[in-house]
């Protein structure tokens, strides 16, 4: 289990070295932005991304959705891709789906919209995930969606979440504190080795790693009428 935080522009200036040196934060999920315009990229996203990377803290990100239709959420997905282009993320890239107007659309529509967004991310080479509250995930998204994509579940005020489906990250508090951040910050626990999965699969801006086993072959050669034996090692 690893401990992490998620932050946005609203967390203000961040002391990344203090966070790193605290030993309390193993990863961070950054808000990349919200809505359907590239101008809605989080004002601190670029700074937070480069600073977290410089501090050696693994990074993921999310896009907050306001869409109420499939065409709208597809536009949001494309804008999200613009915002994260050229970057590398050790943790999934998430759709944050929680607006009351969206939830009111019902399970079938919510699922259709989420799948449309996440499919665009996957086709672009990203490890895609869905973030929402325990209640919304259980009631507004099909089991197929919840099994198909990485799930980041928000559930506060409990010693351990009893979310009914599979999940990789649990957002356990919205009122935590860590050195380097003034005020409250969201706290998370992660139970999946996302960096290994993502790097090995060549997703989120990483090149696929192919491990080539060494082969040792015994050879026998004949030279000038004499037999020579040896070992040939290849990579």
């Amino acid at each position: 289990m690893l401990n992490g935080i998620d932050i946005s522009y609203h967390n203000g200036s961040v002391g990344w070295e203090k966070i790193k040196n605290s030993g309390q934060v193993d990863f961070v999920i950054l808000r990349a932005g919200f809505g359907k315009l590239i101008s809605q990229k989080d004002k601190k996203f670029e700074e937070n991304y480069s600073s977290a990377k410089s501090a050696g803290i693994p990074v993921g990100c999310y896009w907050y959705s306001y869409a109420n239709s499939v065409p709208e959420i597809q536009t949001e997905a494309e804008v999200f891709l613009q915002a994260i282009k050229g970057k590398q993320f050790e943790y999934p890239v998430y759709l944050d789906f929680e607006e009351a107007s969206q939830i009111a659309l019902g399970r079938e529509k919510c699922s259709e919209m989420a799948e449309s967004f996440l499919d665009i991310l996957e086709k672009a080479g990203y490890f895609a995930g869905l973030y929402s509250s325990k209640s919304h995930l259980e009631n507004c998204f099909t089991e197929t969606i919840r099994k198909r994509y990485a799930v980041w579940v928000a559930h506060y005020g409990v010693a351990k979440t009893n979310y009914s489906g599979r999940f990789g990250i649990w957002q356990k508090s919205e009122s935590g504190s860590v050195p380097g951040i003034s005020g409250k910050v969201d706290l998370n626990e992660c139970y999946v080795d996302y960096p290994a999965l993502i790097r090995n699969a060549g997703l989120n801006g990483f090149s696929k790693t192919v491990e080539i086993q060494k082969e040792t072959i015994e050879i026998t050669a004949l030279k000038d009428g004499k037999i020579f034996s040896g070992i040939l090692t290849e990579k």
Side-chain angles (χ1 to χ4, degrees):
M1 187 272 287
L2 298 175
N3 294 303
I5 58 174
D6 60 273
I7 64 171
S8 71
Y9 165 79
H10 300 292
N11 293 100
S13 296
V14 177
W16 288 100
E17 287 303 321
K18 287 184 178 180
I19 290 176
K20 178 66 174 179
N21 294 334
S22 72
Q24 298 178 28
V25 177
D26 301 304
F27 67 94
V28 60
I29 310 295
L30 306 174
R31 186 179 76 160
F34 59 94
K36 59 184 179 181
L37 301 174
I38 193 61
S39 60
Q40 293 171 297
K41 182 167 67 172
D42 189 285
K43 295 177 183 179
K44 288 278 188 179
F45 177 55
E46 296 291 343
E47 177 185 337
N48 285 335
Y49 174 84
S50 60
S51 297
K53 286 286 189 177
S54 295
I57 302 174
V59 175
C61 66
Y62 70 93
W63 194 264
Y64 191 100
S65 175
Y66 285 100
N68 286 313
S69 69
V70 169
E72 286 179 352
I73 207 165
Q74 288 175 334
T75 297
E76 289 183 340
E78 295 294 349
V79 173
F80 185 19
L81 291 178
Q82 290 181 49
I84 64 177
K85 185 178 180 180
K87 295 178 170 60
Q88 293 179 322
F89 299 95
E90 294 84 0
Y91 280 76
V93 296
Y94 293 94
L95 162 64
D96 184 339
F97 195 106
E98 57 181 288
E99 280 292 297
S101 61
Q102 296 175 320
I103 301 305
L105 296 173
R107 185 184 184 90
E108 182 177 348
K109 194 65 176 180
C110 288
S111 297
E112 181 185 13
M113 290 170 60
E115 184 174 29
S116 179
F117 185 103
L118 298 171
D119 182 61
I120 289 173
L121 299 186
E122 279 200 339
K123 287 179 177 177
Y126 291 92
F127 195 111
L130 174 62
Y131 166 90
S132 200
S133 70
K134 171 186 180 293
S135 176
H136 292 344
L137 286 166
E138 291 175 344
N139 297 310
C140 302
F141 299 96
T142 63
E143 187 175 358
T144 300
I145 295 294
R146 295 189 289 143
K147 285 184 175 181
R148 176 69 181 80
Y149 302 99
V151 168
W152 175 16
V153 57
H155 190 190
Y156 311 141
V158 293
K160 196 70 175 177
T161 182
N162 60 353
Y163 169 65
S164 63
R166 295 185 304 186
F167 64 99
I169 298 180
W170 168 37
Q171 188 184 70
K172 62 182 182 180
S173 174
E174 59 181 347
S175 56
S177 64
V178 296
I181 295 181
S182 299
K184 299 177 180 178
V185 64
D186 296 340
L187 301 180
N188 300 271
E189 290 184 1
C190 181
Y191 312 100
V192 175
D193 189 353
Y194 284 122
L197 290 174
I198 288 168
R199 287 177 182 273
N200 290 341
L203 301 172
N204 290 12
F206 292 98
S207 298
K208 188 171 183 178
T209 301
V210 179
E211 184 175 343
I212 302 176
Q213 300 291 336
K214 290 182 178 180
E215 277 189 30
T216 301
I217 307 170
E218 289 190 26
I219 60 171
T220 301
L222 180 65
K223 183 179 180 181
D224 298 330
K226 297 180 181 179
I227 296 176
F228 294 87
S229 293
I231 301 295
L232 175 65
T233 300
E234 295 184 334
K235 250 188 176 181

